[in-house]
Amino acid sequence: MEIFIDSTFSKNELIEFVVPIIIRSNNNFFVDFYNYIALYNPNFNLVKNEKLLNIHMNVYEIDTEVDFNNFQKLTKENSEIFFIRNFIAKKALELKINENNNFLRYENSISSIELIISLNTNFLIDNPEIFSYKNSEKILDLFIFIQLLNLLKKYNYLLDSKGSTMIYKITYQPDFNLFLDFWNKFVKINSKLTPTFLNRISNKTCEKIKNIFTFFPQDTLKQLVLKDELLINKLFNEITTLKSIISEEVQQ
């Protein structure tokens, strides 16, 4: 059995960047999106270099038994997902090598077909003042959430983010060219998130918004920004009506 890995990566980098792996067994091709082979069968030997899917691959031999239930057949759709995850892995490797200090970092999910975007800790170490304002972490979390949400609508991608962790999970379509278009726009957004810009956002918001972060959990605020203004106004009107009804009943 042979496994194919983009020659950009060494064996030691497979797990760190969740590099997708292609398996050839009896002339059938499978894909391992989550590095099960690297996790459970670390001993494989380089035998040659071969071009597959128009990518220069290192080809390794492996003699141990593997559980093919962990893999998927290399269909057209899975090929597109392979291209996307391989691309993300390369960008994550570049991020580490170049010590890129943009506000957001990115990586493959270890358990699902998702792109994980999160706060770049190197950026925070170099610019601790961006969190010096009251509620600045929650403000910037919402700002990034809304920015990503507006971008993803154009591609029919899904966004998930819980609390104020500043972790954003993006479920994308199995279309590599579409993903590249999204990626180029995301990179432009990320490049604009400079310390000066982020401080200005926090400062301006802190001056005008005093109570919302005290009374609403971050998850609730994220749900509210998904709604249109008419529905939000309706919700608050209902809260006022509810208070009025309760007050009337108590007085009777």
Side-chain angles (χ1 to χ4, degrees), residues 3 8 15 24 34 48 50 52-53 62 64 85 99 124 140 153 167 183 194-195 210 217 219 221 239 244 248-249 252:
I3 60 175
T8 303
I15 295 175
R24 179 164 61 192
Y34 308 116
K48 58 183 175 180
E50 186 175 321
L52 181 66
L53 299 178
I62 182 170
T64 55
R85 288 182 70 82
E99 297 183 349
L124 181 57
L140 294 178
K153 286 178 181 177
I167 297 174
W183 183 264
T194 63
K210 306 293 184 181
D219 282 340
L221 291 174
I239 292 173
S244 176
E248 290 174 2
E249 291 298 320
Q252 288 183 5

Short mmCIF file of all heavy atoms in Angstrom, two decimals, residues 3 8 15 24 34 48 50 52-53 62 64 85 99 124 140 153 167 183 194-195 210 217 219 221 239 244 248-249 252:
data_model
loop_
_atom_site.label_atom_id
_atom_site.label_comp_id
_atom_site.label_asym_id
_atom_site.label_seq_id
_atom_site.Cartn_x
_atom_site.Cartn_y
_atom_site.Cartn_z
N ILE A 3 1.11 5.61 0.21
CA ILE A 3 0.43 6.84 0.61
C ILE A 3 1.15 8.02 -0.05
O ILE A 3 2.37 8.04 -0.19
CB ILE A 3 0.38 7.01 2.15
CG1 ILE A 3 1.78 7.07 2.75
CG2 ILE A 3 -0.42 5.88 2.78
CD1 ILE A 3 1.75 7.35 4.25
N THR A 8 5.64 19.31 -0.17
CA THR A 8 5.92 20.50 0.64
C THR A 8 6.16 20.12 2.09
O THR A 8 6.92 20.79 2.80
CB THR A 8 4.73 21.49 0.57
OG1 THR A 8 4.46 21.82 -0.79
CG2 THR A 8 5.01 22.75 1.37
N ILE A 15 0.78 15.87 11.22
CA ILE A 15 -0.22 16.00 12.28
C ILE A 15 -0.42 17.46 12.65
O ILE A 15 -1.56 17.91 12.86
CB ILE A 15 0.18 15.16 13.50
CG1 ILE A 15 0.18 13.67 13.14
CG2 ILE A 15 -0.74 15.43 14.68
CD1 ILE A 15 0.67 12.76 14.24
N ARG A 24 -3.21 4.66 -1.90
CA ARG A 24 -3.46 3.78 -3.05
C ARG A 24 -3.32 2.33 -2.60
O ARG A 24 -2.28 1.92 -2.10
CB ARG A 24 -2.49 4.07 -4.19
CG ARG A 24 -2.71 3.15 -5.41
CD ARG A 24 -2.04 3.67 -6.66
NE ARG A 24 -0.59 3.78 -6.51
CZ ARG A 24 0.20 4.43 -7.38
NH1 ARG A 24 -0.34 5.04 -8.43
NH2 ARG A 24 1.49 4.49 -7.18
N TYR A 34 -7.91 13.37 8.04
CA TYR A 34 -7.64 13.70 9.44
C TYR A 34 -6.38 13.04 10.01
O TYR A 34 -6.21 12.93 11.22
CB TYR A 34 -8.85 13.33 10.31
CG TYR A 34 -10.13 13.91 9.78
CD1 TYR A 34 -11.16 13.09 9.32
CD2 TYR A 34 -10.31 15.30 9.68
CE1 TYR A 34 -12.33 13.63 8.81
CE2 TYR A 34 -11.47 15.83 9.17
CZ TYR A 34 -12.48 15.00 8.74
OH TYR A 34 -13.63 15.54 8.23
N LYS A 48 9.56 7.08 -3.49
CA LYS A 48 9.69 7.79 -4.77
C LYS A 48 8.91 9.11 -4.70
O LYS A 48 8.25 9.42 -3.70
CB LYS A 48 9.15 6.95 -5.92
CG LYS A 48 7.70 6.53 -5.77
CD LYS A 48 7.26 5.63 -6.93
CE LYS A 48 5.84 5.12 -6.72
NZ LYS A 48 5.36 4.25 -7.81
N GLU A 50 6.14 11.29 -7.07
CA GLU A 50 5.22 11.08 -8.19
C GLU A 50 4.22 12.23 -8.25
O GLU A 50 3.86 12.80 -7.22
CB GLU A 50 4.48 9.75 -7.99
CG GLU A 50 3.59 9.33 -9.15
CD GLU A 50 2.99 7.96 -8.93
OE1 GLU A 50 3.69 7.07 -8.40
OE2 GLU A 50 1.80 7.77 -9.28
N LEU A 52 0.56 13.52 -8.72
CA LEU A 52 -0.81 13.05 -8.61
C LEU A 52 -1.72 14.24 -8.38
O LEU A 52 -1.39 15.12 -7.57
CB LEU A 52 -0.94 12.04 -7.45
CG LEU A 52 -2.33 11.43 -7.22
CD1 LEU A 52 -2.73 10.54 -8.39
CD2 LEU A 52 -2.33 10.63 -5.91
N LEU A 53 -2.83 14.32 -9.08
CA LEU A 53 -3.74 15.47 -9.01
C LEU A 53 -2.99 16.77 -9.33
O LEU A 53 -3.27 17.83 -8.75
CB LEU A 53 -4.39 15.57 -7.62
CG LEU A 53 -5.26 14.39 -7.20
CD1 LEU A 53 -5.80 14.61 -5.79
CD2 LEU A 53 -6.41 14.19 -8.19
N ILE A 62 3.72 1.56 3.18
CA ILE A 62 3.32 1.19 4.53
C ILE A 62 2.85 -0.27 4.49
O ILE A 62 2.11 -0.67 3.59
CB ILE A 62 2.21 2.12 5.05
CG1 ILE A 62 1.82 1.76 6.47
CG2 ILE A 62 1.00 2.14 4.15
CD1 ILE A 62 0.92 2.80 7.12
N THR A 64 1.75 -2.01 7.47
CA THR A 64 0.84 -2.34 8.55
C THR A 64 -0.62 -2.28 8.08
O THR A 64 -0.94 -1.60 7.10
CB THR A 64 1.02 -1.39 9.74
OG1 THR A 64 0.87 -0.04 9.29
CG2 THR A 64 2.40 -1.57 10.37
N ARG A 85 -8.07 21.47 1.68
CA ARG A 85 -7.37 21.19 2.94
C ARG A 85 -5.85 21.22 2.75
O ARG A 85 -5.11 21.64 3.65
CB ARG A 85 -7.83 19.85 3.51
CG ARG A 85 -9.26 19.92 4.06
CD ARG A 85 -9.70 18.61 4.67
NE ARG A 85 -9.01 18.28 5.91
CZ ARG A 85 -9.35 18.76 7.10
NH1 ARG A 85 -10.35 19.61 7.23
NH2 ARG A 85 -8.69 18.38 8.18
N GLU A 99 6.39 33.73 10.39
CA GLU A 99 6.03 34.42 11.63
C GLU A 99 5.11 35.60 11.33
O GLU A 99 5.31 36.72 11.80
CB GLU A 99 7.26 34.87 12.40
CG GLU A 99 8.13 33.70 12.85
CD GLU A 99 9.33 34.15 13.68
OE1 GLU A 99 9.59 35.36 13.73
OE2 GLU A 99 9.97 33.28 14.28
N LEU A 124 -1.21 39.28 19.49
CA LEU A 124 -1.61 39.78 20.80
C LEU A 124 -0.40 40.08 21.68
O LEU A 124 -0.38 41.07 22.40
CB LEU A 124 -2.52 38.76 21.48
CG LEU A 124 -3.06 39.15 22.86
CD1 LEU A 124 -3.82 40.46 22.79
CD2 LEU A 124 -3.96 38.04 23.40
N LEU A 140 -14.33 43.15 19.66
CA LEU A 140 -13.58 42.69 18.49
C LEU A 140 -14.06 41.32 18.02
O LEU A 140 -14.07 41.03 16.82
CB LEU A 140 -12.08 42.67 18.79
CG LEU A 140 -11.46 44.04 19.05
CD1 LEU A 140 -9.98 43.92 19.39
CD2 LEU A 140 -11.64 44.96 17.84
N LYS A 153 -21.67 34.94 3.29
CA LYS A 153 -22.98 34.93 2.63
C LYS A 153 -22.83 34.84 1.11
O LYS A 153 -23.68 34.25 0.42
CB LYS A 153 -23.77 36.17 2.99
CG LYS A 153 -24.33 36.16 4.41
CD LYS A 153 -25.07 37.46 4.71
CE LYS A 153 -25.62 37.47 6.12
NZ LYS A 153 -26.28 38.78 6.44
N ILE A 167 -12.86 32.11 18.19
CA ILE A 167 -12.63 30.97 17.32
C ILE A 167 -13.82 30.86 16.37
O ILE A 167 -14.97 30.84 16.81
CB ILE A 167 -12.47 29.66 18.12
CG1 ILE A 167 -11.23 29.75 19.03
CG2 ILE A 167 -12.35 28.45 17.18
CD1 ILE A 167 -11.07 28.56 19.95
N TRP A 183 -10.80 32.99 -0.20
CA TRP A 183 -9.53 33.17 0.52
C TRP A 183 -8.90 34.53 0.21
O TRP A 183 -8.41 35.21 1.12
CB TRP A 183 -8.56 32.04 0.16
CG TRP A 183 -7.27 32.13 0.93
CD1 TRP A 183 -6.10 32.69 0.52
CD2 TRP A 183 -7.05 31.66 2.26
NE1 TRP A 183 -5.15 32.60 1.50
CE2 TRP A 183 -5.70 31.98 2.59
CE3 TRP A 183 -7.84 31.02 3.20
CZ2 TRP A 183 -5.15 31.66 3.82
CZ3 TRP A 183 -7.28 30.70 4.43
CH2 TRP A 183 -5.95 31.02 4.73
N THR A 194 -5.18 46.07 11.48
CA THR A 194 -3.95 46.55 12.11
C THR A 194 -4.24 46.98 13.55
O THR A 194 -5.39 47.22 13.92
CB THR A 194 -3.40 47.75 11.33
OG1 THR A 194 -4.38 48.82 11.40
CG2 THR A 194 -3.14 47.39 9.87
N PRO A 195 -3.21 47.10 14.39
CA PRO A 195 -3.43 47.57 15.77
C PRO A 195 -4.15 48.92 15.82
O PRO A 195 -5.04 49.12 16.64
CB PRO A 195 -2.01 47.67 16.33
CG PRO A 195 -1.23 46.66 15.55
CD PRO A 195 -1.81 46.69 14.16
N LYS A 210 -22.58 51.00 26.36
CA LYS A 210 -22.21 50.90 27.77
C LYS A 210 -22.72 49.63 28.45
O LYS A 210 -22.05 49.09 29.32
CB LYS A 210 -22.75 52.12 28.54
CG LYS A 210 -22.35 53.47 27.97
CD LYS A 210 -20.87 53.72 28.10
CE LYS A 210 -20.49 55.12 27.60
NZ LYS A 210 -19.05 55.37 27.70
N PRO A 217 -25.44 37.70 27.01
CA PRO A 217 -24.32 36.79 26.74
C PRO A 217 -23.83 36.96 25.31
O PRO A 217 -24.60 37.34 24.42
CB PRO A 217 -24.93 35.39 26.94
CG PRO A 217 -26.18 35.62 27.73
CD PRO A 217 -26.68 36.98 27.35
N ASP A 219 -23.11 34.78 23.05
CA ASP A 219 -23.82 33.93 22.08
C ASP A 219 -25.14 34.57 21.66
O ASP A 219 -25.55 34.47 20.49
CB ASP A 219 -24.08 32.55 22.68
CG ASP A 219 -22.85 31.66 22.65
OD1 ASP A 219 -21.94 31.95 21.85
OD2 ASP A 219 -22.79 30.69 23.41
N LEU A 221 -25.80 37.81 21.57
CA LEU A 221 -25.47 38.93 20.69
C LEU A 221 -25.16 38.45 19.28
O LEU A 221 -25.55 39.08 18.29
CB LEU A 221 -24.29 39.72 21.26
CG LEU A 221 -24.56 40.50 22.55
CD1 LEU A 221 -23.27 41.12 23.08
CD2 LEU A 221 -25.61 41.57 22.33
N ILE A 239 -40.40 42.24 24.89
CA ILE A 239 -39.86 42.26 26.25
C ILE A 239 -40.56 43.34 27.08
O ILE A 239 -40.97 43.13 28.23
CB ILE A 239 -38.34 42.50 26.24
CG1 ILE A 239 -37.62 41.29 25.64
CG2 ILE A 239 -37.82 42.78 27.66
CD1 ILE A 239 -36.14 41.49 25.43
N SER A 244 -44.78 44.69 31.13
CA SER A 244 -46.01 45.39 31.44
C SER A 244 -47.09 44.43 31.92
O SER A 244 -47.80 44.69 32.91
CB SER A 244 -46.49 46.16 30.21
OG SER A 244 -47.72 46.78 30.45
N GLU A 248 -48.81 44.35 35.66
CA GLU A 248 -50.26 44.47 35.84
C GLU A 248 -50.80 43.32 36.68
O GLU A 248 -51.65 43.53 37.56
CB GLU A 248 -50.95 44.52 34.49
CG GLU A 248 -50.70 45.82 33.71
CD GLU A 248 -51.28 45.76 32.31
OE1 GLU A 248 -51.90 44.71 31.99
OE2 GLU A 248 -51.10 46.73 31.55
N GLU A 249 -50.35 42.12 36.40
CA GLU A 249 -50.84 40.94 37.12
C GLU A 249 -50.43 40.98 38.59
O GLU A 249 -51.19 40.57 39.48
CB GLU A 249 -50.33 39.66 36.46
CG GLU A 249 -50.93 39.38 35.10
CD GLU A 249 -52.42 39.17 35.17
OE1 GLU A 249 -52.89 38.53 36.12
OE2 GLU A 249 -53.12 39.68 34.26
N GLN A 252 -52.70 43.27 40.70
CA GLN A 252 -54.10 42.89 40.90
C GLN A 252 -54.27 42.08 42.20
O GLN A 252 -53.38 41.40 42.65
CB GLN A 252 -54.59 42.05 39.72
CG GLN A 252 -54.78 42.89 38.46
CD GLN A 252 -55.34 42.08 37.30
OE1 GLN A 252 -55.68 40.90 37.45
NE2 GLN A 252 -55.42 42.71 36.15
#
